[in-house]
Coordinates of all heavy atoms in Angstrom, one line a residue:
Chain A
R9 N 70.2 58.1 104.8 CA 68.9 58.8 104.9 C 68.8 59.5 106.3 O 68.2 60.6 106.4 CB 67.8 57.8 104.7 CG 66.4 58.5 104.7 CD 66.1 59.3 103.5 NE 64.8 59.9 103.6 CZ 64.6 61.2 104.1 NH1 65.6 61.8 104.6 NH2 63.4 61.6 104.1
Y10 N 69.2 58.8 107.3 CA 69.2 59.3 108.7 C 70.7 59.1 109.3 O 71.3 58.1 109.0 CB 68.2 58.6 109.6 CG 66.8 58.7 109.1 CD1 66.3 57.7 108.3 CD2 66.0 59.8 109.3 CE1 65.0 57.8 107.8 CE2 64.7 59.9 108.9 CZ 64.2 58.9 108.1 OH 62.9 59.0 107.6
F33 N 74.3 71.5 94.2 CA 74.1 72.4 95.4 C 73.9 71.6 96.7 O 73.3 70.5 96.7 CB 72.8 73.2 95.2 CG 72.8 74.2 94.1 CD1 72.6 73.8 92.8 CD2 73.1 75.6 94.3 CE1 72.5 74.7 91.7 CE2 73.0 76.4 93.2 CZ 72.8 76.0 92.0
Y35 N 72.1 72.3 100.5 CA 71.3 73.2 101.3 C 71.1 72.5 102.7 O 71.2 71.4 102.9 CB 69.9 73.3 100.7 CG 69.8 74.1 99.4 CD1 70.0 73.6 98.2 CD2 69.5 75.5 99.6 CE1 70.0 74.4 97.1 CE2 69.4 76.3 98.4 CZ 69.6 75.7 97.2 OH 69.6 76.6 96.1
Q37 N 68.3 72.5 105.8 CA 66.9 72.8 106.1 C 66.7 72.5 107.6 O 66.6 71.4 108.0 CB 66.0 72.1 105.2 CG 64.5 72.5 105.4 CD 63.6 71.7 104.5 OE1 63.9 70.7 103.8 NE2 62.3 72.3 104.3
G40 N 61.0 73.3 110.3 CA 60.0 74.3 110.2 C 60.5 75.5 109.3 O 59.9 76.5 109.3
Q41 N 61.6 75.3 108.7 CA 62.2 76.4 107.8 C 62.4 76.0 106.4 O 62.4 74.8 106.1 CB 63.5 76.8 108.4 CG 63.5 77.3 109.8 CD 62.7 78.6 109.9 OE1 62.8 79.5 109.1 NE2 61.9 78.7 111.0
G42 N 62.6 76.9 105.5 CA 62.9 76.6 104.1 C 64.4 76.3 104.0 O 65.2 76.6 105.0
P43 N 64.8 75.6 103.0 CA 66.2 75.4 102.8 C 67.1 76.6 102.7 O 66.7 77.6 102.2 CB 66.3 74.6 101.5 CG 64.9 74.1 101.3 CD 64.0 75.1 101.9
F45 N 71.0 78.0 101.5 CA 72.1 77.7 100.6 C 73.4 77.5 101.4 O 73.7 78.2 102.3 CB 72.3 78.8 99.6 CG 73.6 78.7 98.8 CD1 73.6 77.9 97.7 CD2 74.7 79.4 99.2 CE1 74.8 77.9 96.9 CE2 75.9 79.4 98.5 CZ 75.9 78.6 97.3
Y48 N 77.9 75.6 96.2 CA 77.6 75.3 94.9 C 78.8 74.9 94.1 O 79.9 75.5 94.2 CB 77.0 76.6 94.2 CG 76.9 76.6 92.8 CD1 76.3 75.6 92.0 CD2 77.5 77.7 92.1 CE1 76.2 75.6 90.7 CE2 77.4 77.7 90.6 CZ 76.8 76.7 90.0 OH 76.7 76.7 88.6
D56 N 81.1 78.6 95.0 CA 80.6 79.4 96.1 C 80.4 78.6 97.3 O 79.7 77.6 97.3 CB 79.3 80.0 95.6 CG 78.7 81.0 96.6 OD1 79.1 81.1 97.8 OD2 77.9 81.8 96.2
S58 N 79.9 80.4 100.3 CA 79.6 81.4 101.2 C 78.6 81.1 102.3 O 78.5 81.7 103.3 CB 79.1 82.6 100.4 OG 77.9 82.4 99.7
L91 N 70.2 68.8 102.2 CA 69.6 68.5 100.9 C 70.6 68.7 99.8 O 71.4 69.7 99.9 CB 68.4 69.4 100.6 CG 67.2 69.3 101.5 CD1 66.2 70.4 101.2 CD2 66.5 68.0 101.3
I99 N 74.1 77.1 84.6 CA 73.6 78.4 85.0 C 73.4 78.4 86.5 O 73.6 79.3 87.2 CB 72.3 78.8 84.3 CG1 72.6 78.9 82.8 CG2 71.7 80.1 84.8 CD1 71.3 79.1 82.0
G100 N 72.8 77.3 87.0 CA 72.6 77.2 88.5 C 71.2 76.9 88.9 O 70.9 75.8 89.2
N101 N 70.4 77.9 88.8 CA 69.1 77.7 89.5 C 68.0 77.2 88.7 O 66.8 77.2 89.0 CB 68.6 79.1 90.2 CG 68.4 80.2 89.2 OD1 68.1 79.9 88.0 ND2 68.4 81.4 89.6
E102 N 68.3 76.8 87.5 CA 67.3 76.3 86.6 C 67.2 74.8 86.7 O 68.1 74.1 86.9 CB 67.7 76.6 85.2 CG 67.9 78.0 84.8 CD 66.6 78.8 84.7 OE1 65.7 78.2 84.3 OE2 66.6 79.9 85.2
L104 N 66.3 72.4 88.9 CA 66.9 71.7 90.1 C 66.2 70.5 90.4 O 65.0 70.5 90.4 CB 66.9 72.6 91.3 CG 68.0 73.8 91.4 CD1 67.9 74.5 92.7 CD2 69.4 73.2 91.1
F106 N 66.1 67.6 93.3 CA 66.5 67.4 94.7 C 66.5 66.0 95.1 O 65.6 65.2 94.7 CB 65.5 68.2 95.6 CG 65.8 69.7 95.7 CD1 65.2 70.5 94.8 CD2 66.6 70.2 96.7 CE1 65.5 71.9 94.8 CE2 66.8 71.5 96.8 CZ 66.3 72.4 95.9
G107 N 67.5 65.6 96.0 CA 67.4 64.3 96.7 C 66.5 64.5 97.9 O 65.9 65.5 98.2
S108 N 66.2 63.3 98.5 CA 65.3 63.2 99.7 C 66.0 63.7 101.0 O 65.3 63.9 101.9 CB 64.8 61.8 99.9 OG 64.1 61.4 98.8
Chain B
F34 N 59.6 81.0 92.0 CA 59.4 79.6 91.9 C 58.5 79.2 93.0 O 58.4 79.8 94.1 CB 60.6 78.7 92.1 CG 61.8 79.2 91.2 CD1 62.6 80.3 91.5 CD2 62.2 78.4 90.1 CE1 63.7 80.6 90.8 CE2 63.3 78.8 89.3 CZ 64.0 79.9 89.7
Y36 N 58.0 75.4 94.9 CA 58.4 74.0 95.0 C 57.4 73.3 96.0 O 56.9 73.9 96.9 CB 59.8 73.9 95.6 CG 60.9 74.0 94.6 CD1 61.3 75.3 94.1 CD2 61.5 72.9 94.0 CE1 62.4 75.4 93.2 CE2 62.5 73.0 93.0 CZ 62.9 74.3 92.6 OH 64.0 74.4 91.7
Q38 N 57.1 69.8 98.6 CA 57.8 68.7 99.3 C 56.8 67.8 99.9 O 56.2 68.2 100.9 CB 58.7 69.4 100.3 CG 59.7 68.4 101.0 CD 60.7 69.1 101.9 OE1 60.3 70.1 102.6 NE2 61.9 68.7 101.9
N41 N 59.0 62.6 103.0 CA 60.0 61.6 102.6 C 60.3 61.6 101.1 O 60.8 60.6 100.6 CB 59.6 60.2 103.0 CG 59.5 60.1 104.5 OD1 60.3 60.6 105.3 ND2 58.4 59.5 105.0
K42 N 60.1 62.7 100.4 CA 60.4 62.8 99.0 C 61.1 64.1 98.8 O 61.1 65.1 99.6 CB 59.1 62.8 98.1 CG 58.4 61.4 98.1 CD 57.4 61.3 97.1 CE 56.7 60.0 97.0 NZ 55.7 59.9 96.0
G43 N 61.9 64.2 97.7 CA 62.6 65.3 97.3 C 61.7 66.5 96.9 O 60.6 66.3 96.4
L44 N 62.2 67.7 97.1 CA 61.6 68.9 96.6 C 61.4 68.8 95.0 O 62.2 68.4 94.3 CB 62.4 70.1 97.0 CG 62.3 70.6 98.4 CD1 63.6 71.3 98.8 CD2 61.1 71.4 98.6
Q45 N 60.2 69.2 94.6 CA 59.8 69.2 93.2 C 59.4 70.5 92.7 O 58.5 71.1 93.4 CB 58.8 68.1 92.9 CG 58.4 67.9 91.5 CD 57.3 66.9 91.3 OE1 56.5 66.6 92.2 NE2 57.1 66.4 90.1
L46 N 59.9 71.0 91.6 CA 59.4 72.2 91.0 C 58.0 72.1 90.5 O 57.7 71.3 89.7 CB 60.4 72.6 89.9 CG 60.1 73.9 89.2 CD1 60.3 75.1 90.1 CD2 60.9 74.1 87.9
K49 N 57.4 78.1 87.5 CA 58.5 79.1 87.6 C 58.1 80.3 86.8 O 57.5 80.2 85.7 CB 59.7 78.5 86.9 CG 60.9 79.5 86.7 CD 62.0 78.8 86.0 CE 63.0 79.8 85.5 NZ 64.1 79.2 84.7
T51 N 59.6 83.9 85.0 CA 60.8 84.5 84.6 C 60.6 85.7 83.7 O 61.2 85.8 82.6 CB 61.8 83.6 83.9 OG1 61.1 82.9 82.8 CG2 62.3 82.6 84.9
F90 N 56.8 75.7 99.0 CA 57.8 76.7 99.3 C 57.8 77.7 98.1 O 57.9 77.3 97.0 CB 59.2 76.1 99.4 CG 59.4 75.3 100.7 CD1 59.2 73.9 100.7 CD2 59.8 75.9 101.8 CE1 59.4 73.1 101.8 CE2 60.0 75.1 103.0 CZ 59.8 73.7 103.0
S94 N 64.8 84.3 93.2 CA 66.2 84.4 92.7 C 66.3 85.6 91.8 O 65.5 85.7 90.9 CB 66.6 83.2 92.0 OG 67.9 83.2 91.5
E95 N 67.4 86.3 92.0 CA 67.6 87.5 91.1 C 68.2 86.9 89.8 O 68.9 86.0 89.8 CB 68.4 88.5 91.8 CG 67.8 89.2 92.9 CD 68.6 90.3 93.6 OE1 69.8 90.3 93.3 OE2 68.1 90.9 94.5
N98 N 71.8 85.2 89.2 CA 72.2 84.9 90.6 C 71.6 83.5 90.8 O 70.5 83.3 91.0 CB 71.8 85.9 91.6 CG 72.3 85.6 93.0 OD1 72.8 84.5 93.2 ND2 72.2 86.5 93.8
Y99 N 72.5 82.5 91.0 CA 72.0 81.1 91.1 C 71.5 80.9 92.6 O 70.9 79.9 92.8 CB 73.2 80.1 90.8 CG 74.5 80.5 91.6 CD1 74.6 80.1 92.9 CD2 75.4 81.2 90.9 CE1 75.7 80.4 93.6 CE2 76.6 81.5 91.7 CZ 76.7 81.1 93.0 OH 77.9 81.4 93.7
Q100 N 71.8 81.8 93.5 CA 71.3 81.5 94.8 C 69.8 81.7 94.9 O 69.2 82.7 94.5 CB 72.0 82.5 95.8 CG 73.5 82.1 96.0 CD 74.0 82.6 97.3 OE1 73.2 82.9 98.2 NE2 75.3 82.8 97.4
L101 N 69.2 80.7 95.5 CA 67.7 80.7 95.8 C 67.5 81.1 97.2 O 68.2 80.6 98.1 CB 67.1 79.4 95.5 CG 67.3 78.8 94.1 CD1 66.7 77.4 94.0 CD2 66.7 79.7 93.0
W103 N 64.5 81.0 100.0 CA 63.3 80.2 100.2 C 62.5 80.8 101.3 O 63.0 81.3 102.3 CB 63.7 78.8 100.6 CG 64.5 78.1 99.6 CD1 65.8 78.3 99.2 CD2 64.0 76.9 98.9 NE1 66.1 77.4 98.2 CE2 65.1 76.5 98.0 CE3 62.8 76.2 98.8 CZ2 65.0 75.4 97.1 CZ3 62.7 75.2 98.0 CH2 63.8 74.8 97.1
G104 N 61.2 80.7 101.1 CA 60.3 81.0 102.2 C 60.3 79.9 103.2 O 60.9 78.9 103.1
A105 N 59.6 80.2 104.4 CA 59.6 79.2 105.4 C 58.7 78.0 105.2 O 58.7 77.0 105.9 CB 59.2 79.9 106.7
G106 N 57.9 78.1 104.1 CA 57.0 77.0 103.8 C 55.6 77.2 104.3 O 55.4 77.8 105.3

Side-chain angles (χ1 to χ4, degrees):
Chain A
R9 183 70 181 91
Y10 302 94
F33 295 81
Y35 286 87
Q37 186 177 16
Q41 300 295 320
F45 171 82
Y48 165 52
D56 188 340
S58 63
L91 298 170
I99 296 172
N101 65 21
E102 302 286 323
L104 285 182
F106 281 83
S108 298
Chain B
F34 310 78
Y36 276 84
Q38 188 175 38
N41 298 315
K42 292 191 176 179
L44 285 153
Q45 182 183 19
L46 179 66
K49 172 186 170 184
T51 54
F90 292 92
S94 174
E95 291 178 355
N98 182 346
Y99 52 80
Q100 288 203 23
L101 300 178
W103 297 70

